[in-house]
Amino acid sequence: MAVIRSASMLPAKREALTLETADGLELVGELALPADREPEATVICVHPLPTHGGMMDSHIFRKAAWRLPALANMAVLRFNTRGTESQQGTSQGAFDNGVGERFDIAAAVEYAEFAELPRVWLVGWSFGTDLTLKYGLEPGVEGAVLLSPPLRYSKEDDLARWAEDGRPLLALIPEQDDYLQYPEAKQRFAAVPQAEIVEIANGSHLWVGKAEEALDRIVGRILPEHAPLPTTWDGPMERGDTSAYANKTVAAFGGFLPKAGGEHSLPKAGEEHGLPKPERD
């Protein structure tokens, strides 16, 4: 039995794919499936802010694709939103401040439907949570998990639509998140009665050192019989190359920290941000 480490890549069927949006763009993506059986559920990963390095290869989503097909019998669909670059390639178009990205979410969900993937859930992280709240109530989507939601691009009417729809929503709030911490998150998500708000002890917006807990929480909500995930693996295991992402995988608006009293100095859409913080595995 080998210990599963940060760069461990477990067996799966991995296929590069192209998503086509309704407004004519081609997006880079990948689908990872269990190697020898049909998946029981599907997660579509919606990545952090691309202007600060967020992409389909941001560390939690990279690890989801490398582990969850084998450990949780899940399909993992990840993709670069418009204008986003990663080692997998660059999606067409340009970052659109969460507006044109509605077509990107729709294209990913439509692909999952076309491929007959089961029990589709959206998993958004940071900016990806805003896209999930704004555009995630697509037919065929069962629910959503939100990692470090800043509630920046999404507004009260987006929460109201989730409340009215009734689909499950799990928000994971790191204790030391830079933008939205647990007390304020409880207050703001109170508008969604079915939302479950969970504080992640000692966690940060980047989930440094917390990727395994993130994956456990995601699997525990969608396929609880597979959680917590094993920490060892008896079988073939490769080492994924993470060196290409060391200086690129960034998932926060650097330099904008919470003010005393729970107020946040988040920049408005389109404003320049401070230097981003590098992600570490």
Side-chain angles (χ1 to χ4, degrees), residues 86-106:
S86 77
Q87 199 70 9
Q88 313 291 337
T90 303
S91 291
Q92 292 180 348
F95 175 67
D96 197 28
N97 285 300
V99 178
E101 285 83 359
R102 70 180 306 156
F103 299 115
D104 305 350
I105 300 297

Side-chain angles (χ1 to χ4, degrees), residues 63 79 113 116 145 169 186 199 230 234:
K63 292 169 184 173
F79 66 100
E113 180 182 10
E116 298 183 337
V145 179
L169 197 61
K186 285 284 288 184
E199 185 176 35
D234 185 13

Side-chain angles (χ1 to χ4, degrees), residues 91-192:
S91 291
Q92 292 180 348
F95 175 67
D96 197 28
N97 285 300
V99 178
E101 285 83 359
R102 70 180 306 156
F103 299 115
D104 305 350
I105 300 297
V109 174
E110 287 169 7
Y111 183 90
E113 180 182 10
F114 175 79
E116 298 183 337
L117 298 175
R119 297 194 55 200
V120 174
W121 282 67
L122 295 176
V123 178
W125 179 8
S126 191
F127 173 68
T129 69
D130 284 315
L131 297 185
T132 297
L133 290 170
K134 289 174 71 67
Y135 309 126
L137 289 172
E138 288 276 345
V141 172
E142 186 170 312
V145 179
L146 310 177
L147 309 177
S148 301
L151 295 179
R152 176 189 174 200
Y153 292 85
S154 52
K155 305 301 179 185
E156 286 75 12
D157 59 341
D158 298 309
L159 295 177
R161 289 187 299 105
W162 278 84
E164 182 179 0
D165 182 88
R167 273 178 260 190
L169 197 61
L170 170 63
L172 302 178
I173 314 296
E175 180 183 14
Q176 300 167 10
D177 197 286
D178 295 332
Y179 311 112
L180 184 71
Q181 295 186 351
Y182 184 73
E184 184 183 355
K186 285 284 288 184
Q187 180 180 15
R188 297 187 66 180
F189 277 104
V192 187

Side-chain angles (χ1 to χ4, degrees), residues 15-31 44-47 56 77-86 88-95 100-109 111 131:
E15 175 187 359
L17 55 89
T18 300
L19 303 179
E20 298 182 358
T21 70
D23 60 341
L25 299 180
E26 293 185 350
L27 309 179
V28 172
E30 181 201 73
L31 177 63
I44 297 177
C45 302
V46 190
H47 62 69
M56 62 183 282
L77 174 60
R78 54 196 179 119
F79 66 100
N80 284 331
T81 57
R82 56 191 57 214
T84 300
E85 176 184 6
S86 77
Q88 313 291 337
T90 303
S91 291
Q92 292 180 348
F95 175 67
E101 285 83 359
R102 70 180 306 156
F103 299 115
D104 305 350
I105 300 297
V109 174
Y111 183 90
L131 297 185

